[in-house]
């Protein structure tokens, strides 16, 4: 048993030894390949199966594979062909960044039996990288005192490629001051030293810009660049200089203390502390100059320190030194001459010798108001002076003697336009610049009564409603007088004028102090409807001045008179009885109602209408002329008596009216009814001579109208005897204003009387105008047709009082 175990152990040991020897034999052979980097994917490197002596047909069954000792699988084998190909691009610089030579080691493994083949793939470098500098810009500070031949190190360029593909040489851009020298390091790397060829001057060129180029040895070659900026450091090698060696300036005397006279400006081409300057007076500058002018040590500004007076000292000489603040201070100097010029430094003077104020506004032209003298302490043109006053004043200056002037009136004065004048006397010398002085005097004007009172309007129209209360304020007529004091106080009064033998002072009154106009009585439009008179305003000056204004008083009508029915005539409160044949035709004139209203045209416009009518279908009434006509013929059913109530209404507010009752009786007769005023006379005996009476009536009316007009004119020209019992009366039915009555068909008094005459004549009566008795407005007389005109006054005519 123990021998069997030993036998088995040796068998295993021998097998292991044989396998190791076989494996060692098989692995001891390494297959080498060389390929350039950056081959494309899929590129075949070699026929691995052929190189290893393997049957291509068995590669799949024996599971041939490639194991690479890296983190990435760059190559693989095609089992169908046995070819080794590129799976991923190979970058030598990434795979072997620090090595000159680069190898990729792999193992080709097959099974059944298992064998391992070692493969070594050399990655060959190509020139795929350009040289580059660690810094794109290289800054160098070099003093302008550096000697030529001095070396300066600059950073070298690097190239990841190796061998001939690495940096081979350097080039420097063209420069008059710098060049390079190429050096080789122990590791074979190339670098360049910057060498100063010529001495630098910062004042000529403070900065130098160079381009350093590194070139490798590849084919084709690649290159990289870096900028070299050389800053030239300053040294104190330039002395301060002034723009000019000497200056001369002029300054007016009395130049204000502290004001700038001149600014010295020295320059130093150096920089920093080497160009900072400090100014000072040299020992050749006098103490008087240093006391009069101040020199700013830092800015070089020269300002006034003391009073400059041309009469005391007129020229100042000084020498100024400028030193820089460098380690070895350098200096420069200049000379300055300041000339003081004389100036017009004395103001002219003005003196009022005489001045008269106040003066009357009617002072005559060329009257002397003031005497003025002027003077100036300067000499030459600076001492010549001119005196003037404002141009927009009614005064002028007149030179009376040397430097003496008189102020006289040049235009008429008017206190109402300008009550006072502020006269400014201005004296100016002829220096440069000119100096002046002025003095203002106030001239007051005294008022004289040279303005008449003025009303705002030249004509006043005042409307007054009739039936006004006595003492009522009608208007305020106020005048204005631009004068002062008593010349301005106004008194108002009415200029006496008689109208219809009546004085205006009995009708109107005016307040003498304020011009308020009052009515002294109640006015009646129907008696008098307008007044025209004058009001005078007089001031209290000496002599007094006055003006007047025309006042037109218009009495405005009120509807205060009711219509009066004058036809058909009837006794007061009685019924008018009329007779009419029953055979009257349709449209025949039955009667005509005529009413009068003494109010104005608008208020006296009268309309007529039925208030009561027995049969509304039988009669019609014209609302404008008052004519009553039949609307149809009478029938046997119509009552024999018809009662008509007619109302006459005016157009006022409120409207006033009057009524008349007409009782119509129909008669059985063969007489033909008249249809209008122009028809033939009725066949009654009383109308047999109608035409004759019409002519006589018309002639009588015209004659009476003429007599009435003549009597009215005579009465107007005579002064009436006033009595308490007497009341205003008229001689005719219609008022003096000659207005028309309400009936639109009547346009004058004669028209009315003619219409009334025709209406009454149809009834066998004559109508005449008679004088108006005391207490009556109108008298209408109706006479029987048979009476003559000469019997008018003796007849027992009925009278209608209105």
């Amino acid at each position: 048993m123990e021998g069997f175990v030993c036998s088995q152990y040796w068998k295993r040991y021998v097998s292991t030894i044989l396998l190791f020897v076989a494996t060692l034999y098989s692995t001891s052979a390494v297959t080498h390949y060389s390929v350039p980097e950056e081959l494309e994917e899929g590129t075949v490197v070699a026929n691995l199966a052929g190189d290893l002596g393997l049957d291509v047909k068995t590669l799949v069954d024996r599971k041939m594979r490639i194991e690479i000792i890296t983190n990435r699988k760059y190559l693989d084998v095609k089992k169908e062909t046995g070819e080794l190909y590129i799976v991923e691009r190979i970058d030598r610089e990434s795979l072997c960044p620090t090595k000159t030579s680069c190898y990729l080691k792999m193992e080709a493994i097959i099974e059944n039996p298992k064998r391992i083949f070692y493969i070594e793939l050399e990655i060959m470098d190509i020139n795929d990288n350009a040289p580059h500098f660690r810094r794109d810009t290289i800054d160098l500070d070099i003093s302008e005192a550096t000697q030529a031949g001095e070396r300066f190190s600059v950073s070298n360029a690097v190239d990841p490629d190796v061998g001939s593909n690495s940096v081979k040489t350097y080039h420097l851009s063209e420069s008059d001051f710098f060049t390079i020298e190429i050096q080789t390091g122990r590791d074979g790397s190339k670098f360049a030293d910057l060498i100063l060829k010529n001495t630098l001057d910062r004042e000529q060129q403070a900065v130098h810009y160079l381009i350093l180029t590194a070139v490798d040895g590849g084919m084709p070659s690649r290159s990289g660049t870096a900028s070299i900026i050389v800053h030239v450091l300053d040294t104190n090698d330039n002395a301060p200089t002034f723009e000019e060696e000497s200056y001369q300036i002029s300054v007016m005397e009395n130049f204000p203390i502290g004001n700038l006279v001149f600014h010295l400006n020295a320059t130093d081409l150096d920089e920093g502390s080497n160009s900072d300057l400090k100014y000072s007076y040299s020992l050749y500058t006098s103490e008087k100059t240093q006391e009069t002018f101040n020199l700013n040590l830092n800015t070089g500004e020269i300002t006034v320190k003391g009073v400059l007076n041309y009469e005391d000292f007129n020229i100042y000489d000084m020498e100024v030194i400028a030193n820089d603040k460098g380690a070895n201070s350098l200096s420069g100097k200049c000379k300055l001459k300041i000339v003081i010029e004389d100036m017009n430094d004395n103001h002219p003077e003005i003196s009022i010798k005489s001045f008269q104020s106040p003066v009357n506004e009617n002072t005559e032209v060329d009257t002397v108001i003031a005497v003025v003298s002027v003077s100036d302490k300067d000499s030459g043109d600076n001492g010549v002076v001119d005196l003037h006053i404002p141009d927009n004043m009614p005064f002028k200056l007149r030179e009376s003697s040397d430097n003496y002037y008189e102020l006289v009136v040049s235009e008429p004065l008017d206190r109402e336009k300008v009550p006072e004048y502020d006269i400014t006397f201005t004296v100016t010398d002829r220096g440069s610049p000119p100096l002046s002085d002025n003095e203002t005097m106030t001239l007051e004007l005294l008022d004289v009564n040279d303005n008449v009172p003025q009303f705002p309007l030249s004509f006043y129209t005042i409307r007054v409603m009739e039936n006004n209360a006595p003492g009522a304020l009608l208007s305020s007529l106020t005048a204005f007088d631009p004068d002062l004091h008593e010349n301005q106080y106004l008194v108002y009064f009415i200029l006496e004028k008689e109208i219809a033998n009546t004085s205006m002072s009995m009708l109107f009154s005016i307040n003498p102090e304020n011009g308020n106009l009052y009515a002294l009585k109640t006015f009646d439009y129907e008696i008098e409807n307008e007044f025209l008179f004058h009001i005078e305003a007089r001031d209290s000056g000496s002599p007094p001045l006055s003006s007047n204004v025309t006042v037109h008083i218009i009495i405005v009508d009120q509807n205060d008179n009711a219509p009066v029915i004058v036809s058909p005539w009837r006794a007061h409160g009685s019924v008018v009885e009329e007779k009419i044949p029953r055979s009257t035709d349709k449209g025949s004139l039955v009667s005509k109602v005529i009413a009068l209203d003494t109010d104005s045209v608008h208020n006296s416009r009268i309309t007529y209408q039925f208030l009561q009518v027995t049969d509304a279908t039988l009669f019609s009434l014209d609302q404008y002329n008052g004519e009553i006509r039949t609307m149809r013929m009478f029938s046997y059913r119509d009552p024999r008596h018809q009662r008509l109530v007619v109302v006459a209404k005016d157009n006022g507010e409120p409207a006033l009216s009057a009524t008349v009752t007409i009782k119509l009786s129909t008669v059985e007769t063969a007489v033909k009814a008249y249809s209008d005023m122009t028809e033939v006379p009725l066949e009654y005996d009383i109308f047999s001579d109608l035409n004759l009476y019409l002519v006589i009536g018309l002639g009588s009316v015209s004659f009476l109208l003429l007599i009435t007009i003549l009597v009215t004119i005579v009465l107007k020209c005579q002064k009436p005897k006033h009595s308490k019992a007497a009341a205003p009366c008229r001689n005719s039915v219609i008022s003096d204003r000659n207005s028309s009555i309400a009936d639109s068909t009547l346009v004058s008094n004669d028209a009315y009387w003619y219409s009334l005459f025709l209406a009454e004549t149809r009834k066998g009566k004559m109508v005449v105008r008679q004088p108006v008795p005391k207490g009556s407005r109108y008298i209408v007389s109706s006479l029987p047709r048979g009476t003559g005109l000469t019997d008018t006054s003796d007849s027992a005519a009925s009278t209608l009082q209105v």
Side-chain angles (χ1 to χ4, degrees), residues 46-62:
N47 189 344
L48 184 60
D51 294 339
L52 297 179
L54 299 175
D55 186 1
V56 176
K57 298 179 180 180
T58 62
L59 295 180
V60 176
D61 295 335
R62 298 185 66 176

Side-chain angles (χ1 to χ4, degrees), residues 337-468:
K337 176 182 287 188
I338 300 177
V339 179
I340 308 301
E341 294 183 353
D342 188 24
M343 67 176 295
N344 186 24
D345 55 348
N346 291 290
H347 287 263
E349 297 179 354
I350 183 171
S351 176
I352 307 296
K353 301 299 182 180
S354 174
F355 188 83
Q356 181 182 355
S357 178
V359 297
N360 290 331
E361 62 175 321
N362 60 350
T363 300
E364 296 181 357
V365 176
D366 284 338
T367 300
V368 177
I369 302 299
V371 177
V372 182
S373 67
V374 293
S375 61
D376 194 322
K377 296 179 180 179
D378 292 326
S379 59
D381 289 340
N382 296 334
V384 178
V385 296
D386 298 306
L387 180 66
H388 58 87
I389 59 174
D391 295 333
N392 56 346
M393 289 189 175
F395 306 101
K396 66 180 180 180
L397 289 171
R398 185 170 60 194
E399 189 172 3
S400 60
S401 60
D402 190 18
N403 291 336
Y404 275 83
Y405 295 86
E406 292 178 347
L407 178 69
V408 298
V409 178
S410 61
E411 299 175 11
L413 305 178
D414 189 350
R415 188 208 60 81
E416 286 71 34
K417 293 182 179 178
V418 182
E420 66 178 21
Y421 292 91
D422 290 329
I423 305 174
T424 301
F425 297 92
T426 303
V427 58
T428 306
D429 61 24
R430 299 182 184 179
S432 180
L435 298 179
S436 63
D437 193 10
N438 62 75
E439 187 166 345
T440 301
M441 304 296 291
T442 300
L443 176 64
E444 297 181 6
L445 300 183
L446 296 178
D447 182 53
V448 296
N449 192 24
D450 57 347
N451 290 279
V452 298
Q454 297 291 332
F455 286 92
L457 301 175
S458 61
F459 188 89
Y460 286 86
T461 299
I462 303 173
R463 298 182 180 273
V464 180
M465 188 69 68
E466 69 170 327
N467 302 319
N468 60 290

